[in-house]
Amino acid sequence: MKKLLSTISNFFIFFLLSAFVTSCCVMLFVSLLQSSIGRAFTQEEITVAAKITMLNVILLSVGMAIIDYVRRKFTVERPVKRITEATSKMMEGDFSVRIHPTAKFATDDSFNEIIDCFNKMASELSGVETLRTDFIANVSHEMKTPLAVMQNYGTLLQAPDLPEEKRIEYAKTITDASRRLADMMTNILKLNRLENQQIYPNPTTFDLGEQLCESLLQYESVWERKNIEIETDIAEGVLVSADTELLSLVWNNLFSNAFKFTEDGGKVTLTLAADEEYATVKIADTGCGMSAEVGAHIFEKFYQGDTSHATQGNGLGLALVKRVVDIMQGEIGVESAVGVGTTFTVRIRRANYGPDEAR
Ligand code: ADP
């Protein structure tokens, strides 16, 4: 009904337009003809000419309305219909939908621009959706293991004639599992806040060497227990302007991994060097190392290349490290060889050469 009304109104617009144009032309033609032949037309001649002109106007208007209808059908209605259908599919949650651009001759190019934008939006949204579903799957999976441990050992603890040492062992296992769960939740929350930019870095200027030493010293008991040799080469007076808490998160995670993946009797080396613009920190270990395949994924959330240490982490540490380094507009790289060791290199701007001065 709506379409019929629009076709009729189109017809009337074309009718009025052609009537106006044709009448003007005919009046001009008639007056010129009269003056050139030197006589006025009779009433009868004018009536016949007016009828023919009217018929012409009607035929012309019908023709134009039909041509316009067909043109709109192909160049406007078809692409609009495809865009609307794709949008409805997306509203129902299907982010895989894409629209093929219409052939250039068959449509206004603006529709292809809209289609192009729509396809880009759809691929962005499908990426976000995949990340979200992967994230939920990973979190659920990671939560299941400690929860199952807590459940099983909780049941074992209920046995009435349990020896004292077993009771202590089971209670410790439950405490460890709940600590893992709490650590994971803390890391997820930190990562989430960092990714949503809800943490606004609060930069202060401080000595990077001092911060690195403080962070390293936290692992003293570990390196003593595992008999790991420590070597340091720290340039003095290297100031950086950064959020201390965020940056210490980076060093803590890198040291924690270095000690975790290094066998007893190995070596961990800390180097801080600086040029005019950048401070470069290297944390190297003689641990198990990793293959290129593992190295390509280590900054992804929940990725754990080395499953033998899976109970000591949750695969979020390096994702956090990467996020913090990105926020600080720094760089992080890794070099590693299986059975030889791993070196993480972090480069950040020095305090006296901040981005503002660089500009
Ligand atoms: P997690 O340590 O909790 O497993 P991370 O995000 O800190 O998670 O590290 C991800 C993976 O990167 C680890 O599972 C391990 O395979 C690899 N990795 C990180 N640091 C080292 C290292 N120093 N030596 C060997 N492998 C490492």
Side-chain angles (χ1 to χ4, degrees), residues 257 260-261 285 298 303-306 313-315 317-318 342 344:
N257 278 346
K260 182 162 76 181
F261 293 108
D285 63 64
I298 52 172
Y303 180 80
Q304 289 191 297
D306 179 304
N314 42 47
L318 289 180
T342 305
F344 279 94

Side-chain angles (χ1 to χ4, degrees), residues 1-10 69 73 77:
M1 186 65 188
K2 220 171 151 190
K3 264 190 176 172
L4 187 71
L5 281 178
S6 134
T7 316
I8 292 172
S9 78
N10 263 352
Y69 175 79
K73 182 115 194 126
E77 277 178 29

Side-chain angles (χ1 to χ4, degrees), residues 219-233:
Y219 296 89
E220 193 173 358
S221 58
V222 185
W223 82 60
E224 279 180 354
R225 178 167 45 83
K226 291 179 88 175
N227 199 20
I228 290 174
E229 187 192 335
I230 301 292
E231 191 181 308
T232 56
D233 180 7

Side-chain angles (χ1 to χ4, degrees), residues 98-313:
R98 299 287 181 277
I99 314 171
H100 286 293
T102 314
K104 273 214 164 101
F105 64 87
T107 186
D108 183 344
D109 219 24
S110 321
F111 281 111
N112 278 343
E113 276 172 32
I114 297 174
I115 288 173
D116 204 32
C117 287
F118 179 92
N119 287 343
K120 278 187 194 147
M121 178 182 77
S123 72
E124 287 287 323
L125 283 175
S126 70
V128 172
E129 179 65 7
T130 316
L131 275 182
R132 194 179 66 87
T133 43
D134 280 4
F135 187 77
I136 292 172
N138 280 324
V139 172
S140 321
H141 178 78
E142 289 292 323
M143 278 174 76
K144 260 165 77 180
T145 321
L147 282 176
V149 169
M150 283 154 78
Q151 233 171 18
N152 292 342
Y153 281 83
T155 315
L156 288 174
L157 266 181
Q158 288 168 20
D161 47 359
L162 199 67
E164 183 62 4
E165 76 211 48
K166 284 283 170 206
R167 192 182 59 76
I168 294 173
E169 186 194 322
Y170 295 165
K172 191 176 170 303
T173 314
I174 292 177
T175 317
D176 285 350
S178 60
R179 187 184 37 75
R180 265 190 71 200
L181 208 56
D183 283 353
M184 187 178 78
M185 287 306 165
T186 314
N187 276 345
I188 289 175
L189 287 176
K190 270 189 204 159
L191 200 58
N192 188 37
R193 285 166 67 202
L194 279 173
E195 289 194 332
N196 294 328
Q197 294 278 318
Q198 283 170 0
I199 291 181
Y200 298 102
N202 175 22
T204 47
T205 302
F206 58 91
D207 191 310
L208 183 58
E210 278 175 21
Q211 189 187 44
L212 283 163
C213 289
E214 271 170 31
S215 178
L216 179 62
L217 280 171
Q218 289 179 45
Y219 296 89
E220 193 173 358
S221 58
V222 185
W223 82 60
E224 279 180 354
R225 178 167 45 83
K226 291 179 88 175
N227 199 20
I228 290 174
E229 187 192 335
I230 301 292
E231 191 181 308
T232 56
D233 180 7
I234 298 172
E236 279 181 20
V238 180
L239 299 181
V240 288
S241 176
D243 187 312
T244 37
E245 210 181 307
L246 282 184
L247 199 57
S248 65
L249 207 83
V250 172
W251 315 133
N252 290 344
N253 272 298
L254 294 181
F255 282 131
S256 144
N257 278 346
F259 289 114
K260 182 162 76 181
F261 293 108
T262 302
E263 294 301 318
D264 295 9
K267 183 173 161 187
V268 169
T269 312
L270 163 67
T271 322
L272 167 62
D275 58 22
E276 274 190 3
E277 203 177 332
Y278 288 100
T280 307
V281 178
K282 281 182 195 280
I283 296 175
D285 63 64
T286 56
C288 59
M290 55 185 130
S291 63
E293 157 83 62
V294 171
H297 298 283
I298 52 172
F299 296 113
E300 290 169 13
K301 279 177 238 166
F302 293 106
Y303 180 80
Q304 289 191 297
D306 179 304
T307 41
S308 62
H309 292 84
T311 50
Q312 295 172 36

Side-chain angles (χ1 to χ4, degrees), residues 29-49:
F29 176 71
V30 167
S31 73
L32 282 174
L33 198 66
Q34 280 185 144
S35 61
S36 70
I37 60 171
R39 77 167 178 92
F41 289 117
T42 61
Q43 186 63 39
E44 202 181 331
E45 284 169 331
I46 289 173
T47 314
V48 174

